Every structure is written in C-alpha cells, then in structure tokens.
Amino acid sequence: MNERIKKASRHTNQSEGLIFEKSSPGKRAFELPPLDVPDVDAAKALGTYHRKDGVDGFPEVSEIEVIRHFTRLSTWNYAIDLGMYPLGSCTMKYNPRVNEFVARLEGIATEHPYQPQALSQGCLKILRLLEKCLLEITGMDAITLQPAAGAQGELTGLLLIRAHLEKQGNPRKKVLIPDSAHGTNPATAVIAGYEVENIKSESRGQVDVEKLREQVTEDVAALMITNPSTLGIFEQRIPEIAEILHTKGALLYMDGANMNALTGITRPGDLGVDVMHLNLHKTFSTPHGGGGPGAGPVAMKKILEPYRPVPILVEKDGGRLALETVRPNSIGRVKAFVGNFGVLLRALAYILAYGPGVRQATEDAVLNANYIRKRLEGVYDLPFSLPSMHEVVFSDAVQKKNGVNTMDIAKRLIDYGFHPYTTAFPLIVPGALMIEPTESESREECDLFIDAMRSIAEEAAKTPDVVKTAPHTTRIGRLNETVAARKPVLRWKPATSKSEAAD
Amino acid sequence: MGYPNDRRYTKDHEWLVLKGDVATVGITDYAQHELGDVVFVELPKTGAQVAAGKSFGTVESVKAVSEIYAPASGEVVEVNAGLHDTPEKINTDPHGDAWLIRIKMSNPADANSLMDAAAYEAYISEKAKEAAH
Amino acid sequence: MRYLPKSLAERNEMLAAVGVKSIDELFSSIPEKYRLKQPLKLPGPMSESEVIQYFKERAGENAGGYTSFLGAGVYNHLRSVVTDAIIQRGEFLTSYTPYQAEIAQGTLQAIFEFQTLMCQLTGQEVANASMYDGSTATTEAVLMAERLTGRRRVLVARSVHPEYREVLNTYAKNSGLHIEEIGYAAEGSIDKKFLHASLKDDVAAVVVQSPNFFGVIEPVADLAAPTHASGAKLVVAIAEAISLGLLRPPAEADIVAMEAQSFGLPPSYGGPFAGVVASRDEYVRQMPGRLAGETTDSNGHRGFVLTLATREQHIRRERATSNICTNQALCALAATVHLTLLGKEGLREMAQQNLAKAQYALSQLEKIPGVQRKFSGAFFNEFAVELPRSVKMVNAALLRDKIVGPLALGTSYPELTKHALVCVTETTNKAEIDRFAAALRNTLEQPL
C-alpha cells in the first residue's frame, strides 16, 4: 500500500449473526398500549382462517438487541456519507438531510391517498410545484409523476408512444436501441410489446446517424437515446436524429439518467426529444437507500399529453387543485395511487434549495469529471476522445497486458477507501471503467481518488498480484458467487446455516 | 483438452456425435472456458423440435447468459437431466458427461457440412489470434 | 451553495488544470443555439429554514387533526421511532445497490433477513428483495405465471383492489394477456361457481386478494385444487400484511404478491411502499427482482451476495424476467426493522387488536338504524357497510366533526353506491370509534 495515500482506512470488523440466530422465546422489542375495547376470540371470529400460533421462526429480541444488530450491520456498508461513489450514470450525490426532515413532518408523512382532496391541498401543491419545476428543467409540455423508478418511467414513455401511434392507426413494431444502452431499455421495450433492434455506435461512440437513416422505417416506433450517452459524451447530432425520426413518423425517447450533465445548461425538449424520464434518485438527490426507492417521472411534448396515466393533476377555479381519473385516452395506471410521494417531495426540496442556481451543480459535476479525466489520461486507456461531460469512461486495455482487469482495479480501489466505479458497462467498451464523481465531491476528494487510481495503475504494472487478489482490507474477501448461483440459499432456516459469520 | 475426432463442430462451439440417425450434442471445451463457472443450463423438453442454427437453450455463468444453437434440425429424444443439479460438469467434462441433448435428426447427412476436429481447432486458434490484437 | 464543496479559488485552479479558461468551454460539445443563456425560472434558492417553512405550510393544508377510518390498501399502523433511527443512519440511507458485496454486507444481510421474514409470513419458500408496491408485485406475479404456464388467459377476482386491477390491465394490454374478471358472492369472497365454470386449460393464473378489497378473507385453500387441476397458477395478493399475524398464510398459493406498507411505512400520500413476490423454490428462476443469497468467502466466512442475476435486465436485457432495476430497498429495510421490533408476539398482538377494534366498531355501527354490514364472510380489520343515505352526504357531515369517513365504494363498484368501506386499526382508540358511531347516528337522524 502506498503510504503517501492518506485516505485508506481499514474496514470495520465486527461479528454479527442473523437476527433469527439471536432470538429467544418470549423476548419482544415493542409494546402496544392495552386494548381498550372488548377482546374477541380470534378462533371463533376467524374459524379455519385462524393462525393459532405466532409466525414460526419470527425473531424474538429486545429493543437494544434490535438497535445493536442493525447498527452493527450498517457499519459494514460504504455510503455517500462516508465518501465518493464514482459510479458512472448513478449520480451518487449528497442526500440533503433537510429532505429527510420535511418528508417526516406530521401532515406530510401521515396523509392517506384517499382522503378528501379538499383536505389534501398541501400534498397536491407539492406535486404541482414539482411538475412545474421539472417541466422548466426539461423544456417539455406535460408530465406524469406516477412511475416508481427509471425503468417504470421508460415503460410509461413507450406506452405513451404506442398509444399515440395506435391512435394514428398503427402502433408499429420496433424500437431502436443503441448498443451502449442501459439494460432496462431493451427489457422495457419488450414489455411494451415492441421488438428490439440494435443500432451500432460509430467510431467516436455516438449514435451512427447514417445507419439511423437506413434503419428508421415505418416499422420503427421510436429510438431510445441516452444523452449524454453512457460514455458521458453529448450526442451532438441529436437535433438531426430527432428530425430523421419525425420525418418517418417515429418519436425520440430520451433516457434521462444523465440529466446531471444538462440541468440548467440545455433542455431536452429544445433538442427535439418527444418524451423522456428522469431519475429523481440520481439527478435530484433522493437517497439510494441501498437500492431504492426512486421515482421516474416522465415529461413529454403536447402530442403525448392525452395519453398520460391517471390520475391527472389539474388546477380548478380559485387555485384549487384536484386529481382527475376520467381520461378516455389515458394509458391507464402504471402504479397504485399518485406515485412515490415521499420521494417526489424530497426532489422538490432539493430544487427549492438550489433555485435557478441549480446550474452551478451541473457545472461542478462536469468540472470534476473533466479534472479526473485530465489527470488519469495517459495512465488509463481512453477509448473515445470526444469531450466528456459529467462522466468519463476509460478501459483496462493497458493494465490487461499484465493480466489485471477492470474488476480487479475496482476491488483494489476499495482498499484505498473508495467504492468502485462502474465496471464492465457500457457494453461497447470492453473492460470499461465508468467514472462519475458528481458535484458533491470536493477537490480534495477528487485528488485522493486520482492518487488512488494512479497508485493502482503502478501496482498493476509492478506488483499485479496485489491488485488481482484485492480487496485485502475488508472484513470479508471476494465471495463465492458461483456457489451462490448454483445452490441458491435465499433464506435462513433453523439449523441449516452451517458457515459462521466473519470475525 | 483435445478435440475428439469422432465428432463434428460448429462455429458457435457446439459438438455433435452421430449414431445412426441420433445425434448427441454438447458445447466444446473452448465454449466452457469462455463462459467461466457454469451455474445453470436451460434445456428443451423431449419431443421439442429444434432447427439448425436456432437457439434451443441457454448456459448461464454468474454474470452472463449464452444461447446454445442447434447444430442440426430434428426432434429432441433425450435430455441430460443430471445437469440440472450438477451444471459444473459442463466445465469439467464438456465433451463427455456434460452432453446436453440427443436429437433424432431430420437429415443425418447434414452433419457432414459441419467442421471436423482439425478444422475446428484451426478455427479457434484463429479466434485466439484475433482476440490478442 | 451549501451542498457544493468547492470554493471559487478551487474551481479556478481545477479549470486551469483541465486547460480551459472558463466552465463554458466544457459545454462546447452542445450546439450553441441550444445552450441556455438565462437561468431557469425556478423558485428559490431557499435556506434550510425556508425549505422547512415551505413544507410546514403545506402540511398545514392537509388533514391534520382528523380521525380517519380509511384503509383500502393503505393502512395506519403504529410505527416505532427505532425504525427511523436505523434507516436514517447514513450507512443505510445513502448507500448504493449492493453490487460490490464486500462493502455492502450490511444491506445484503438485511435483505436476506427480509426475504426470510417474508417467507415465514406467507408460507412460501422464497421471496425477493422487493418490487415497487403491491399493485406492480401483483402484475409481476401474473407475468410470472404466464412465463411458467405459457398461457395467456388470466382470471382476476373483482374483489381485488381496483387500482391493482387497473395496473394489471395497463401491463396486460401490451403483453397479449387476456384478463377476465370473476365476481363475488354474497359472502363477499370470490364466486366459486363462476370461477370453476371459467377454469379451462388455457388459464395462466387465478388472482385473488386476501383479505380482499372489501376486507373479506378469501378461501385460498379451497381455490388451490381446482386452479391446479386446470394447470393454472394461484396468485394471492395481500394488501393488509398485518393480517398475517392472525391469519393462516396462503401456503397453497403458487405466487404471493404482498404490499409491505403496513410493516412500518407511513401512508405518505400513497408512497413509497414496498411490494414483495414470494413463491416456490422451483419457480425461482422465473421470479422478478433482486435476490440476496448466502455464500462464503475464500476463508470460509459467511457472507451474502446478490445472486441469480442472470434473470435481471442488466444481464438478460430483452429476455429479462422484468425490467425492474431500482426497487424499494430502504422501505424493505424499514419493514425488516419493524417486524424485528414487533417480533412473534408483538405481531400477533397487533393483529389481535385490529380484529377486536374492527369487531367493536361493527357492533357499534350496526346498532344504528339502517346501517348493516354488506357481506357475511369472515373479516380482519375492514368491512363494508350499507348506509340508508348518500355516502357522499354522510361523509361531508362527518368531516364537519373532523372525521374522515369510510371510503365510498360506488366509484369502483357501481352496484355498491350505497356502501362504504370502514377500516379500524390498533391506532384508533375506543373514544374515537364511539365518536364516529355517534356522529354517524346523529347525521342519519337529521331530517332530510
């Protein structure tokens, strides 16, 4: 380990088993107030439906044991609160704590989606203001806040496109998807009832416009584009791409995962995009929470507005807001209720904190990515040389000569105190290192990251084995994923867990 | 591991051994090596029809899924059920114990258009050269 | 700006290191005419206290201070403050999806515990790490049944939550699924005769919810045999998960689609919640969503990893079992903590209180002339009542007493315009139930 590198610290070691292994009959961690109505005989009331004994195997522990158990587990996690996640296209930015505070307010967290709308004006105003802000940011005409995440937003967007084309007489058969796209894109297209046709990127990593011209036929419903692309590069010909599609009656869908490069700088609506989703858990700071929840609002041009999922938020006389469900052309609901309201309000809190100054966040994100690119160029192979925006993609081509690949480098980065960058994606770059620092990283953190990456490159050249067998400082080594897939053990059962927790 | 002379090979790294009009099909050592540790195999049911060049199943490693393409057309008459519990055989004995399916071939003569062992070995060494560049 | 850790001097130094004179140069790849010249028209910027003030004002414009008898898929239950103390820890709140297992064992072990709890509750063999919610979990369960059977026809009970059915229809339209609805009988549960008549060998799934939208418990055990005889899969949706503290789990179901909101997630105007799909081991490769599995490292130490990822979109792409990527991880963690706090006895006791209070409320309401329960089937904490006057008028009057009355069923069930759905949980105390009954009696006694 290079002693010059200050950041690295040993991972916390603690032994902690499964909560079921700590249970002891009769212990409990939560008490209810006494029953204040006459009790009933559950067996009599429920007959054969009655579950006589409690849930078999359920934990029985005290409050302090619950606190210690989960606190100890938490110390095994890396988190944004601890340091940078240079994960490309994930936009792991700071999750502001005031957002957590306002989400929990009495009168916000407590509201039932079916309570009278006259008693929900506060919630509806939050939604309406968020709609307006996101329309301003995207340059679109209408929006739905219902989709629960980006993938569901993609599905909603494609269903809107399908409904629009169906109204014109032919939903068409295919969706074009670049070979650099995120996996949710083709998975979603299939669920929307379309065939996927791949479109290859050209030599600079951009959508091949000449190929596009050939591939856009009257069978093509849409192109799903990510902009900037998953290489972090702006699709410079996007207005032309939109034109080609529109001429043939097809539409342009934009995957908005990389909005962190565009907010306040340019607007997808101005570029010719017809419909797009946003990932509020990326660009708009709502917390990842270990994998969710998120929200994937879909913004669209006027032509798609009639097909929006219900309910629709409308403004009535006197500024009163209402949710309307009667919309004959709507594609229906994609999710129960109005959406992930708790996530939506956090995104609004983020936007309110920045105001028009949100452009500064975008500038800082792009500056950080370019700074890292400049200082790692020449150390790592840069397969595509067009300017990077908020993320940069290197490859492991240089290190591979010594048998060190991107996964190894990523694991070694853990020893230096960082979470790995995105490995092995996008698919068009073999051995990719996809790095997105976000605006939340200080210069100091960026420098520590750069120093770590440079040190690892040196190690890959001189002492490759230390990289190939990393990480060395975590409480647990590389786990056997083959066994986990061949013989899946997906739940605890009494007396079957034979291995012991790590020390 | 060498490539036995008793069989034919495809560009997609499948092998075929013919006995009468029944062909036993598997994937080659090269294929299992490219895949890494095999964790699961998805195979058709007996009675299913397979078409030459079309996928009839998949082989999974931890991080990837690969299609398996039929080297010839015909009806599936037997499936190696043991692979369900021990998919790792594909890594340890791809040319023997880890055969995948047996097909009653529509046209047994089709086997002759596939590569023999020498041609296949030349093919994969070309591939190795390409990969190195 | 307080979220940005760079000073002006640092920005200038970094620009110099990159080799550009201004930040605008770094956006030169965007065609000039599309680069914004003016700042966006957005409200703000707001200091922390101003952000709080904004939301406090909004909170004051909602239903604070009202007693509610609403359920219908979103339930008010007690939540311990311990849950927030845990999920607000930065290591849980601000961590990423646990793809790098060595530095995400906290998340992965918690998911493993969640999966275990869901299996214990539902009587199924395997459960996933969460779906968006109950409505999409039910939809995914149906799509899973389609993959397992290769069939396209789906029989759905009308007593399944109306919004769950709407979501299913949205997804079904584009996947070639044919959805048929099966009505309910006088008891309030599925019309078994009609179901049997509709079950042919082209059915992929029979879908019921238990307790159903009317609060009535469905005879899941009786439905399994005829469903399986026709080669279809039995999908059971559960919207009120606390019911599993007192009700036999739907172990005969092939796939369970549960909403875990009742396990410590606040109503939050409809989300975020957490759906779960649970099923049998033999179907696991057709399950959607993430799965955490147990394994060991090279030193033989136990650890957990995301596994069977070849089902998912990032590997299988267009052939994935689902397009889901981000799920409801933090909500599932909250449910895990909540259930661990409640424990075996606490869950049973909470369910018992729900049962007792709902029975008490019904007995008080049925004393009011003209008010009677609509269905006869056994129920947990929700029941439908028939009212002698317009539900809309009754609820308007109750609002004046600061009571949010039961859900009018007429919007979703045109044959039930005189009926409303009452939900009572352990959070409603006797005084409030009595006040509700008195206010209702009073309203109904008013001359028209």
Side-chain angles (χ1 to χ4, degrees):
Chain A
M1 179 74 69
N2 190 330
E3 292 308 319
R4 257 195 332 106
I5 312 295
K6 292 200 192 71
K7 182 175 170 64
S9 56
R10 295 188 79 80
H11 207 89
T12 309
N13 283 333
Q14 192 138 41
S15 184
E16 183 66 15
L18 291 162
I19 194 72
F20 313 99
E21 292 164 339
K22 300 164 159 325
S23 283
S24 199
K27 284 202 279 189
R28 51 192 293 179
F30 187 72
E31 282 138 3
L32 283 85
L35 185 61
D36 59 356
V37 300
D39 207 347
V40 299
D41 182 342
K44 203 148 155 244
L46 301 172
T48 49
Y49 299 128
H50 182 221
R51 181 177 211 150
K52 282 192 261 347
D53 306 309
V55 179
D56 198 29
F58 236 53
E60 295 185 89
V61 292
S62 61
E63 185 175 325
I64 183 170
E65 289 170 293
V66 175
I67 288 269
R68 283 200 176 146
H69 176 72
F70 289 103
T71 302
R72 289 174 183 163
L73 291 189
S74 77
T75 62
W76 299 343
N77 274 3
Y78 191 85
I80 297 175
D81 279 5
L82 290 169
M84 179 188 339
Y85 274 87
L87 287 166
S89 281
C90 289
T91 312
M92 296 296 285
K93 63 172 72 181
Y94 172 57
N95 307 132
R97 279 321 189 279
V98 67
N99 302 359
E100 296 306 306
F101 181 82
V102 299
R104 289 172 163 83
L105 287 171
E106 191 77 20
I108 297 281
T110 43
E111 306 311 285
H112 193 289
Y114 290 152
Q115 69 197 26
Q117 293 185 23
L119 289 182
S120 310
Q121 292 297 300
C123 292
L124 297 179
K125 278 187 191 171
I126 288 168
L127 294 173
R128 185 69 191 123
L129 184 56
L130 179 64
E131 283 186 343
K132 287 188 169 146
C133 290
L134 295 178
L135 288 176
E136 171 69 7
I137 288 167
T138 57
M140 295 294 200
D141 303 322
I143 189 166
T144 171
L145 300 177
Q146 197 179 75
Q152 212 186 34
E154 291 168 30
L155 179 63
T156 306
L158 287 185
L159 292 181
L160 290 168
I161 290 172
R162 173 177 273 273
H164 166 75
L165 292 173
E166 236 162 28
K167 201 89 206 275
Q168 313 210 308
N170 173 17
R172 305 190 176 197
K173 297 202 183 68
K174 297 194 264 196
V175 168
L176 299 179
I177 297 181
D179 50 9
S180 54
H182 190 275
T184 50
N185 290 181
T188 300
V190 165
I191 297 171
Y194 285 108
E195 279 166 41
V196 172
E197 188 174 296
N198 275 311
I199 176 155
K200 278 188 156 33
S201 307
E202 36 86 297
S203 59
R204 300 167 315 158
Q206 308 249 276
V207 166
D208 190 329
V209 180
E210 274 53 58
K211 279 238 168 67
L212 183 72
R213 245 182 259 281
E214 287 165 24
Q215 282 180 255
V216 178
T217 63
E218 308 254 318
D219 272 342
V220 169
L223 166 71
M224 291 178 90
I225 198 171
T226 304
N227 186 30
S229 71
T230 54
L231 297 170
I233 298 172
F234 191 81
E235 288 282 358
Q236 292 174 9
R237 296 173 77 179
I238 191 169
E240 211 182 320
I241 290 169
E243 169 88 44
I244 292 169
L245 291 159
H246 295 154
T247 312
K248 284 276 168 42
L251 286 89
L252 181 58
Y253 180 90
M254 186 178 119
D255 181 326
N258 287 333
M259 265 310 280
N260 215 42
L262 305 182
T263 304
I265 306 289
T266 185
R267 307 195 315 174
D270 300 339
L271 298 166
V273 172
D274 297 300
V275 54
M276 64 177 286
H277 79 268
L278 293 161
N279 299 75
L280 300 191
H281 46 296
K282 296 187 180 192
T283 321
F284 296 94
S285 89
T286 73
H288 270 76
V298 174
M300 67 204 81
K301 290 285 168 66
K302 237 183 165 40
I303 50 164
L304 297 178
E305 187 174 359
Y307 312 104
R308 273 188 296 167
V310 287
I312 309 282
L313 187 54
V314 295
E315 287 180 42
K316 298 221 156 286
D317 302 325
R320 193 170 60 83
L321 293 168
L323 290 170
E324 292 187 349
T325 53
V326 179
R327 280 286 186 286
N329 291 310
S330 167
I331 58 174
R333 279 179 189 278
V334 294
K335 196 180 109 57
F337 316 119
V338 81
N340 276 349
F341 180 75
V343 176
L344 299 169
L345 75 89
R346 284 170 169 88
L348 179 62
Y350 169 84
I351 293 169
L352 292 177
Y354 269 104
V358 73
R359 184 192 170 109
Q360 184 69 68
T362 307
E363 290 178 353
D364 277 6
V366 170
L367 176 57
N368 279 352
N370 277 275
Y371 180 72
I372 288 172
R373 171 176 162 157
K374 189 76 180 181
R375 305 236 359 244
L376 290 180
E377 254 174 1
V379 179
Y380 290 91
D381 171 58
L382 188 71
F384 295 101
S385 57
L386 285 178
S388 300
M389 298 209 70
H390 67 313
E391 65 189 356
V392 52
V393 179
F394 293 101
S395 92
D396 59 8
V398 173
Q399 290 70 29
K400 250 237 160 101
K401 299 198 181 115
N402 248 10
V404 172
N405 65 34
T406 178
M407 182 64 84
D408 301 325
I409 299 165
K411 295 294 187 193
R412 183 59 176 153
L413 193 55
I414 294 173
D415 291 330
Y416 282 84
F418 287 95
H419 189 280
Y421 46 77
T422 304
T423 56
F425 179 80
L427 299 177
I428 56 169
V429 176
L433 288 75
M434 194 192 197
I435 294 167
E436 179 189 355
T438 86
E439 70 277 13
S440 301
E441 301 313 323
S442 64
R443 194 225 165 120
E444 181 194 9
E445 193 80 5
C446 291
D447 283 339
L448 285 169
F449 175 74
I450 290 161
D451 286 346
M453 290 295 288
R454 294 177 79 99
S455 179
I456 296 171
E458 241 181 85
E459 288 171 351
K462 303 204 176 116
T463 51
D465 277 336
V466 78
V467 184
K468 289 200 271 198
T469 51
H472 303 286
T473 56
T474 48
R475 70 177 273 278
I476 218 155
R478 287 206 208 186
L479 288 153
N480 192 334
E481 294 185 329
T482 302
V483 161
R486 279 186 185 154
K487 300 264 181 278
V489 174
L490 302 170
R491 57 162 295 182
W492 170 84
K493 281 189 184 139
T496 52
S497 251
K498 297 197 183 75
S499 53
E500 286 169 16
D503 288 327
Chain B
M1 194 180 292
Y3 292 94
N5 281 315
D6 64 347
R7 60 198 67 189
R8 295 280 176 168
Y9 299 85
T10 69
K11 284 203 158 69
D12 294 308
H13 312 289
E14 287 95 16
W15 55 259
L16 178 156
V17 169
L18 199 54
K19 235 200 198 134
D21 61 353
V22 174
T24 304
V25 175
I27 65 170
T28 66
D29 182 47
Y30 179 88
Q32 73 75 19
H33 186 260
E34 289 288 289
L35 274 167
D37 290 332
V38 174
V39 304
F40 190 71
V41 192
E42 202 180 348
L43 297 171
K45 293 196 170 67
T46 49
Q49 294 294 328
V50 298
K54 292 253 152 55
S55 165
F56 69 82
T58 59
V59 190
E60 290 179 26
S61 62
V62 169
K63 294 264 191 286
V65 184
S66 285
E67 307 281 348
I68 324 171
Y69 299 96
S73 307
E75 183 188 316
V76 178
V77 295
E78 212 185 328
V79 174
N80 190 348
L83 286 178
H84 190 268
D85 288 330
T86 47
E88 54 269 28
K89 278 200 218 161
I90 293 186
N91 295 117
T92 53
D93 195 5
H95 297 161
D97 222 4
W99 60 274
L100 300 173
I101 58 173
R102 295 204 160 105
I103 313 172
K104 186 171 155 80
M105 287 179 69
S106 325
N107 186 14
D110 284 345
N112 297 330
S113 60
L114 302 175
M115 290 184 271
D116 64 11
Y120 181 66
E121 287 193 43
Y123 171 66
I124 54 178
S125 89
E126 259 310 302
K127 265 195 166 292
K129 281 210 202 101
E130 278 168 25
H133 284 135
Chain C
M1 201 283 169
R2 57 192 178 281
Y3 302 157
L4 296 175
K6 280 207 272 297
S7 64
L8 182 56
E10 285 169 329
R11 288 193 182 100
N12 287 331
E13 280 165 29
M14 291 172 79
L15 286 170
V18 172
V20 293
K21 293 211 175 51
S22 80
I23 189 75
D24 290 329
E25 282 183 57
L26 292 179
F27 292 104
S28 58
S29 52
I30 302 176
E32 164 78 34
K33 69 190 260 232
Y34 297 111
R35 277 183 258 156
L36 298 171
K37 310 287 186 294
Q38 299 297 328
L40 291 172
K41 294 189 206 57
L42 294 170
M46 291 189 190
S47 63
E48 181 185 288
S49 55
E50 288 169 301
V51 171
I52 293 173
Q53 182 61 23
Y54 173 83
F55 283 94
K56 278 195 168 155
E57 282 169 14
R58 300 293 78 74
E61 293 160 348
N62 290 326
Y66 282 71
T67 301
S68 167
F69 289 89
L70 288 175
V74 178
Y75 301 94
N76 270 313
H77 286 294
L78 292 173
R79 311 174 57 224
S80 166
V81 300
V82 171
T83 303
D84 271 354
I86 303 276
I87 69 171
Q88 292 237 70
R89 287 185 66 86
E91 300 94 327
F92 280 132
L93 181 74
T94 73
S95 66
Y96 183 61
T97 310
Y99 292 125
Q100 297 291 348
E102 299 91 339
I103 47 178
Q105 285 298 296
T107 298
L108 286 162
Q109 182 165 325
I111 295 174
F112 188 80
E113 293 177 356
F114 175 78
Q115 288 168 189
T116 304
L117 291 167
M118 295 302 112
C119 289
Q120 291 169 334
L121 283 163
T122 60
Q124 296 292 317
E125 293 171 336
V126 58
N128 67 11
S130 77
M131 308 250 76
Y132 304 136
D133 69 346
S135 72
T136 53
T138 304
T139 299
E140 295 269 16
V142 169
L143 294 172
M144 186 174 156
E146 183 197 3
R147 287 192 293 274
L148 288 168
T149 60
R151 301 170 177 186
R152 293 286 175 91
R153 202 167 149 237
V154 180
L155 305 176
V156 181
R158 266 188 89 220
S159 47
V160 169
H161 196 299
E163 295 200 17
Y164 286 27
R165 285 182 285 127
E166 282 180 57
V167 172
L168 177 59
N169 280 324
T170 304
Y171 277 74
K173 264 190 293 200
N174 304 287
S175 59
L177 281 177
H178 181 65
I179 312 285
E180 281 164 44
E181 291 194 334
I182 309 284
Y184 51 85
E187 304 82 49
S189 49
I190 194 172
D191 183 337
K192 284 196 227 175
K193 265 221 210 89
F194 201 83
L195 174 65
H196 293 164
S198 310
L199 269 172
K200 300 212 179 9
D201 63 4
D202 58 349
V203 176
V206 171
V207 186
V208 295
Q209 176 187 324
S210 188
N212 64 26
F213 190 68
F214 308 131
V216 174
I217 303 165
E218 293 282 358
V220 170
D222 295 341
L223 302 175
T227 303
H228 293 145
S230 76
K233 301 298 176 200
L234 181 58
V235 173
V236 175
I238 302 175
E240 173 43 305
I242 291 285
S243 65
L244 290 170
L246 263 193
L247 297 185
R248 274 189 71 247
E252 302 86 355
D254 296 290
I255 312 171
V256 173
M258 186 155 75
E259 171 57 76
Q261 179 266 322
S262 291
F263 295 145
L265 299 172
S268 197
Y269 206 59
F273 298 151
V276 187
V277 169
S279 185
R280 297 157 198 258
D281 280 335
E282 63 178 296
Y283 301 148
V284 74
R285 287 196 142 82
Q286 291 306 324
M287 274 183 74
R290 298 188 187 126
L291 290 165
E294 184 181 319
T295 185
T296 50
D297 73 357
S298 49
N299 296 315
H301 290 134
R302 177 174 66 192
F304 302 91
V305 286
L306 290 179
T307 190
L308 300 184
T310 45
R311 297 162 303 122
E312 296 184 73
Q313 49 76 28
H314 57 294
I315 294 180
R316 196 71 81 138
R317 295 174 74 92
E318 55 261 39
R319 308 255 303 267
T321 52
S322 168
N323 68 341
I324 192 169
C325 183
T326 295
N327 60 10
Q328 305 287 116
L330 195 68
C331 301
L333 176 65
T336 306
V337 175
H338 179 82
L339 289 172
T340 306
L341 287 164
L342 277 183
K344 196 169 184 173
E345 194 40 43
L347 178 62
R348 204 201 53 76
E349 187 184 341
M350 184 178 274
Q352 179 69 29
Q353 287 208 4
N354 274 256
L355 186 73
K357 295 205 188 206
Q359 298 273 352
Y360 175 73
L362 178 61
S363 70
Q364 296 305 97
L365 293 177
E366 282 191 321
K367 288 182 183 149
I368 304 170
V371 178
Q372 56 188 357
R373 185 174 176 226
K374 165 67 179 168
F375 300 113
S376 57
F379 65 98
F380 175 62
N381 66 2
E382 270 185 297
F383 52 88
V385 288
E386 183 175 338
L387 299 176
R389 286 197 193 169
S390 145
V391 176
K392 193 168 168 193
M393 254 179 43
V394 165
N395 277 334
L398 289 172
L399 279 180
R400 287 194 285 274
D401 279 320
K402 297 209 116 187
I403 296 170
V404 175
L407 183 75
L409 285 169
T411 350
S412 302
Y413 299 91
E415 73 279 13
L416 297 176
T417 46
K418 293 178 151 188
H419 304 81
L421 187 66
V422 179
C423 176
V424 187
T425 70
E426 77 286 357
T427 60
T428 324
N429 61 39
K430 179 174 182 291
E432 288 170 321
I433 298 172
D434 290 339
R435 197 167 73 81
F436 168 46
L440 180 58
R441 177 188 288 272
N442 190 31
T443 302
L444 293 174
E445 279 172 358
Q446 299 297 319
L448 279 165

